[in-house]
Amino acid sequence: MTEESYLPGEEEQDLPEQIAIRLAKRERLLSSGVEAYPVSLPISHTIDAVRAKYPDLEIDVATGDTVALAGRVMFQRNTGKLCFATLQAGSGSRIQVMLSQEKVGESNLEHYKDLVDLGDHLFVSGEVITSKRGELSVLVDSWQIAAKTIRPLPNLHNELGEEYRVRHRYVDLIVRDRAREVVKIRSQVMQSMRKTFIERTFIEVETPMLQTIHGGASARPFKTHSNAFDTELFLRIAPELFLKRAVVGGIDRVYEINRNFRNEGADRTHSPEFAMLEAYEAYGDYNTMAELTQSLIQNAALDVFGTLQVELEDGEINDLSGEWDRISMFESLSNASGVEITPETDIAVLKKLADKEGLEIDHPLHGKYVEELWEHFVKGSLTKPTFVMDFPVDTSPLVRNHRSVAGVVEKWDLYIRGYEQATGYSELVDPVIQRERFVEQARLAAAGDPEAMKLDEEFLKALEFGMPPSGGMGMGIDRLLMTLTGLGIRETIMFPLVK
RNA sequence: GCGCCUCUAGCUCAAUCGGCAGAGCAACUGACUCUUAAUCAGUGGGUUCCGGGUUCGAUUCCCGGGGGGCGCACCA
């Protein structure tokens, strides 16, 4: 799609017809000494306020109440001597305005018909009345263009195409109630989660997004360069290693909600930049973090929708109620596959099972086979919210060993409707074991795994100063919005990346 | 990154077995003092994503490029 551009005073011949016509109207306004974009207007009421004040007037009533308000023109019905327009506020609420020749005069009404287009912001003042059909209206004494629109709105009687909605989200927000609603829901969910954290005396912090070493997860990073430091920098893939430094420093209950960046594929559930919540609690463990996570999500559902039976876009009900199940990864895999699988099971056995199931896994790690097999056998059957507990050690380098089960770590993943929603750990705080794990990762990196972590000496140094036993959790915010609405990730993010 | 599908007016979409490109809404002109997707009469608006090829003729067929969608891979 090519985009037209224009400069004031230039030839407008190549512009689309409707833009040229509207630019000419703007010029006509200006040359008659009228502002097309006035700096301020004496607004007395919002559209919502007028609607709230007069919820149910009779037909054909004059209130004697004069109001001054503004809104975007969404519909116009211009007749000879009595014109109607529907104004819309940013909230989406609408009110009808009426201009009669009797009230404003013939030439003023002609000006109105000549200059006001669909989409313009219009200021009016006049009496609140109801029309002969009973529609709550403002009978206009005077009007003024509040902002002249140069581009026409799309027609309101067809759904916008997916691409247009994403590329012109501001238009989408004007014409589609649900788009406005989703923005509001997202804001309310964030508020609710911050409320839950405040109740539990957590402190919100912001840690670096530009990092010299990317760590805390395994994913390909975006690279950039600092001119001042003449060094390569990475956009963070996770805030984990900095939040743990904060815990070392005595910020015992700490969380961050901010963007992570991962240079991976994008689909219905993945975006290159995505909002992430991470929280750490000194003297907590993965059990307390599971409880926290369940509370965060349940509180959000209650605060925003007033129910734990959340209705999704397709009408299905997502039941978030009750105490969420906790199942063991190895146990559930053994049950579902019919083969006893433990951390001691020989990798050759796992390979054979994977081959039999038609899974192509080419990876050196035992744990990778366990996780892939688990996804194959168990993941699809999880519909209720479920914590999957106790992961293989070799794929979870930042998690401490299980307190009583050998070969696994104290890590859970929370699945809701088959999507991985959150993860939680009992954090590894032993600097010696952490170093060993990092060295192992670096060894894998050398073997050609580009996503394995580099050694973060500064983080290790922080651990050497002593990190208290802690629980940690991470949750994708965009994913949470998807879980609560049933929308795709590009609908939960207001301005998703487009080329 | 790979495979399949797709791109036509401001918006949503038709059509072309290769032969003057259409509709609804929007726009423009006119009529209309109670409309509310107002109505009625009329008018204009297109590099059919871009570049090349085949052809008397390409928007349609072929090749290349770009945007978008879906699936697979990677990842949360």
Side-chain angles (χ1 to χ4, degrees):
Chain A
M1 187 191 292
T2 60
E3 283 293 321
E4 326 74 23
S5 63
Y6 54 84
L7 289 169
E10 282 202 347
E11 287 299 316
E12 289 159 7
Q13 288 172 348
D14 291 342
L15 292 174
E17 178 192 31
Q18 299 195 41
I19 290 180
I21 287 165
R22 283 162 179 249
L23 281 171
K25 289 180 181 180
R26 175 183 171 279
E27 287 299 328
R28 245 177 286 152
L29 271 171
L30 296 177
S31 61
S32 67
V34 178
E35 270 293 348
Y37 306 92
V39 65
S40 77
L41 293 159
I43 288 167
S44 70
H45 291 70
T46 62
I47 290 172
D48 292 276
V50 174
R51 284 220 161 271
K53 191 169 173 187
Y54 298 105
D56 39 29
L57 287 179
E58 299 289 304
I59 288 174
D60 204 9
V61 171
T63 64
D65 190 3
T66 295
V67 297
L69 51 76
R72 192 187 287 272
V73 178
M74 300 302 282
F75 297 105
Q76 273 184 312
R77 297 170 294 280
N78 289 347
T79 68
K81 299 189 178 69
L82 180 64
C83 298
F84 302 83
T86 304
L87 300 190
Q88 177 176 295
S91 65
S93 60
R94 294 175 175 178
I95 195 164
Q96 175 169 276
V97 298
M98 297 165 60
L99 290 93
S100 81
Q101 181 173 304
E102 194 186 333
K103 203 83 179 168
V104 301
E106 188 175 351
S107 70
N108 186 279
L109 192 62
E110 283 310 310
H111 273 124
Y112 171 85
K113 284 195 248 185
D114 179 37
L115 294 171
V116 177
D117 288 310
L118 284 179
D120 288 355
H121 289 276
L122 185 67
F123 167 84
V124 298
S125 89
E127 184 182 0
V128 178
I129 64 163
T130 52
S131 71
K132 286 178 182 166
R133 294 288 173 82
E135 181 81 25
L136 185 67
S137 308
V138 175
L139 182 59
V140 173
D141 292 318
S142 67
W143 62 272
Q144 187 183 350
I145 287 180
K148 182 67 200 162
T149 309
I150 299 308
R151 288 182 190 266
L153 288 177
N155 91 66
L156 301 175
H157 318 304
N158 297 103
E159 293 219 336
L160 287 175
E162 155 85 14
E163 189 181 359
Y164 191 96
R165 289 211 312 258
V166 172
R167 286 190 189 276
H168 307 81
R169 183 68 84 195
Y170 42 90
V171 176
D172 189 31
L173 290 166
I174 293 165
V175 304
R176 196 166 59 95
D177 292 340
R178 183 65 171 160
R180 277 192 300 277
E181 203 175 298
V182 170
V183 171
K184 211 163 139 189
I185 289 170
R186 184 172 181 123
S187 167
Q188 290 169 338
V189 166
M190 301 289 257
Q191 277 181 48
S192 169
M193 288 196 298
R194 289 194 160 101
K195 196 183 86 187
T196 300
F197 278 120
I198 288 167
E199 282 164 1
R200 293 167 182 241
T201 68
F202 277 75
I203 289 173
E204 182 172 12
V205 299
E206 290 170 88
T207 65
M209 296 208 180
L210 288 173
Q211 304 180 342
T212 53
I213 299 177
H214 63 279
S218 72
R220 289 161 65 189
F222 287 96
K223 288 179 194 162
T224 186
H225 181 262
S226 163
N227 293 337
F229 293 93
D230 189 25
T231 187
E232 183 177 53
L233 291 175
F234 303 96
L235 274 66
R236 75 174 186 196
I237 58 174
E240 173 153 1
L241 302 187
F242 282 97
L243 289 170
K244 284 178 168 174
R245 287 163 163 92
V247 176
V248 169
I251 319 291
D252 282 350
R253 295 179 171 212
V254 67
Y255 75 101
E256 175 166 11
I257 301 175
N258 230 320
R259 230 71 63 78
N260 289 349
F261 307 85
R262 296 188 184 177
N263 208 343
E264 311 277 0
D267 60 29
R268 194 181 157 73
T269 61
H270 296 84
S271 170
E273 61 174 308
F274 62 102
M276 186 80 181
L277 160 66
E278 286 200 14
Y280 294 86
E281 182 184 8
Y283 301 104
D285 63 10
Y286 77 150
N287 291 308
T288 65
M289 299 321 278
E291 188 278 323
L292 170 68
T293 302
Q294 185 182 314
S295 293
L296 283 166
I297 296 174
Q298 289 183 333
N299 289 349
L302 287 171
D303 288 343
V304 179
F305 302 109
T307 176
L308 293 173
Q309 274 79 37
V310 177
E311 185 176 351
L312 303 180
E313 198 69 3
D314 59 5
E316 260 186 67
I317 300 296
N318 187 10
D319 186 357
L320 301 168
S321 65
E323 200 64 27
W324 294 347
D325 290 343
R326 300 184 185 193
I327 64 172
S328 148
M329 171 170 273
F330 280 93
E331 214 176 288
S332 58
L333 172 57
S334 299
N335 290 341
S337 67
V339 182
E340 178 73 13
I341 295 170
T342 72
E344 284 77 43
T345 302
D346 197 279
I347 194 164
V349 175
L350 300 178
K351 276 183 180 164
K352 211 173 139 191
L353 182 57
D355 287 346
K356 195 179 131 200
E357 294 295 321
L359 297 175
E360 283 182 32
I361 310 168
D362 184 24
H363 205 275
L365 294 180
H366 185 275
K368 188 74 179 172
Y369 280 88
V370 173
E371 290 185 18
E372 293 282 339
L373 286 167
W374 181 87
E375 284 192 17
H376 174 71
F377 280 108
V378 187
K379 185 175 157 182
S381 66
L382 297 181
T383 49
K384 293 195 309 184
T386 305
F387 291 102
V388 181
M389 316 283 290
D390 302 336
F391 276 60
V393 64
D394 51 9
T395 47
S396 307
L398 298 161
V399 192
R400 72 182 302 150
N401 290 329
H402 196 278
R403 63 196 75 183
S404 57
V405 183
V408 302
V409 292
E410 295 201 352
K411 167 184 173 176
W412 52 255
D413 272 0
L414 170 63
Y415 282 84
I416 301 182
R417 301 181 86 243
Y419 287 115
E420 195 181 332
Q421 180 66 66
T423 188
Y425 304 166
S426 295
E427 300 296 339
L428 174 58
V429 295
D430 181 331
V432 177
I433 294 178
Q434 182 68 84
R435 179 174 291 277
E436 287 170 9
R437 297 263 187 90
F438 277 166
V439 168
E440 179 62 15
Q441 289 282 309
R443 196 184 60 77
L444 284 173
D449 182 351
E451 289 161 25
M453 283 180 251
K454 290 181 198 165
L455 226 60
D456 188 336
E457 286 293 348
E458 288 301 315
F459 169 68
L460 286 168
K461 188 198 272 184
L463 280 193
E464 287 160 14
F465 277 95
M467 176 166 165
S470 302
M473 60 82 65
M475 174 160 65
I477 301 294
D478 316 288
R479 283 273 177 96
L480 176 60
L481 267 293
M482 293 165 67
T483 293
L484 294 173
T485 61
L487 295 165
I489 200 165
R490 281 155 66 87
E491 297 295 320
T492 70
I493 297 175
M494 189 162 27
F495 300 109
L497 181 68
V498 278
K499 251 174 153 177

